[in-house]
Amino acid sequence: GNSVTQMEGPVTLSEEAFLTINCTYTATGYPSLFWYVQYPGEGLQLLLKATKADDKGSNKGFEATYRKETTSFHLEKGSVQVSDSAVYFCALRTPGAGSYQLTFGKGTKLSVIP
Amino acid sequence: NAGVTQTPKFRVLKTGQSMTLLCAQDMNHEYMYWYRQDPGMGLRLIHYSVGEGTTAKGEVPDGYNVSRLKKQNFLLGLESAAPSQTSVYFCASSPLPGSNQPQHFGDGTRLSIL
């Protein structure tokens, strides 16, 4: 079955530090890959996505590249801000049985300190 | 700009009580989903619906029932609440497959079973 493994947290960084959150996946077929972000007390919001191999998703300074050869979709940001403190979820979607459901990783909590 | 609205936002129940969580979306999406979020577990799919009048089981359906009588509403019911159902519940919706659009999430319902 499908699965997503992401870096255990929590992760604490100083403002302007470089961020990497690792994500690897197992899936049949050709999944689409997503990063969602959850700010405190809120639901999940789509951060970025990639739908085929070598695609790069980007948004708000965050980037992730769909690497089929390593089955990875690592999230990166060059300079984090305090406002980036949140929980980040890697997810995949493979069409099947009409559900188009998402399979999520367990989430990585990021705290950015001034 | 309502998107996906969940009610209530918080609820405390006693073991054995019943309740219904309501999810409403105003984006005319075909697909709707109910997830639960538990610490260290990510999000797990409870039930989903691919259209009005249809529902299907997800990864963790036991102890829950759902109904989709109207396209815009997706109800999650707990017939006899148990402490193991203490969790944060998220509803999501998405348009028809093939549109490559992400799932849109509500802000969650925090449910405690005593």
Side-chain angles (χ1 to χ4, degrees):
Chain A
N2 299 335
S3 67
V4 175
T5 302
Q6 60 180 105
M7 184 175 151
E8 295 278 338
V11 174
T12 302
L13 295 173
S14 297
E15 205 165 23
E16 299 184 2
F18 185 85
L19 168 71
T20 300
I21 301 178
N22 290 338
C23 171
T24 57
Y25 68 89
T26 302
T28 54
Y30 299 93
S32 295
L33 301 173
F34 305 84
W35 277 101
Y36 279 83
V37 58
Q38 183 181 30
Y39 298 104
E42 299 183 9
L44 278 70
Q45 304 173 25
L46 179 68
L47 181 60
L48 53 84
K49 67 179 181 181
T51 58
K52 61 183 187 295
D54 299 325
D55 267 2
K56 178 185 283 188
S58 61
N59 186 27
K60 299 181 181 180
F62 291 88
E63 292 183 341
T65 301
Y66 188 162
R67 301 289 189 198
K68 190 169 178 61
E69 64 276 13
T70 55
T71 62
S72 65
F73 193 53
H74 305 320
L75 182 68
E76 297 182 335
K77 186 175 185 182
S79 177
V80 294
Q81 305 300 312
V82 172
S83 57
D84 294 327
S85 298
V87 181
Y88 293 82
F89 292 92
C90 185
L92 67 83
R93 180 177 70 196
T94 55
S99 71
Y100 283 76
Q101 66 182 75
L102 289 168
T103 300
F104 286 91
K106 294 183 178 181
T108 302
K109 183 176 182 179
L110 171 66
S111 297
V112 180
I113 55 177
Chain B
N1 291 334
V4 178
T5 303
Q6 293 183 230
T7 53
K9 296 189 183 304
F10 305 95
R11 186 74 183 268
V12 178
L13 292 177
K14 295 181 179 179
T15 297
Q17 287 184 317
S18 64
M19 81 160 295
T20 301
L21 280 64
L22 173 62
C23 176
Q25 53 96 3
D26 62 1
M27 297 171 283
N28 201 36
H29 285 171
E30 290 294 329
Y31 284 31
M32 297 187 75
Y33 315 81
W34 275 107
Y35 294 90
R36 60 178 290 172
Q37 183 182 30
D38 301 294
M41 300 291 289
L43 274 76
R44 294 180 291 170
L45 184 67
I46 304 171
H47 285 281
Y48 63 95
S49 168
V50 302
E52 181 178 320
T54 70
T55 63
K57 295 180 180 180
E59 181 185 355
V60 288
D62 294 342
Y64 305 95
N65 57 75
V66 288
S67 64
R68 183 101 182 266
L69 298 180
K70 293 183 179 180
K71 185 177 182 179
Q72 63 268 33
N73 296 337
F74 195 29
L75 279 62
L76 178 71
L78 285 72
E79 290 188 349
S80 179
S84 61
Q85 294 177 304
T86 293
S87 187
V88 182
Y89 292 85
F90 287 98
C91 177
S93 70
S94 64
L96 282 169
S99 66
N100 210 23
Q101 292 300 308
Q103 291 184 15
H104 296 260
F105 284 80
D107 286 342
T109 295
R110 187 173 296 275
L111 184 61
S112 295
I113 315 296
L114 305 179

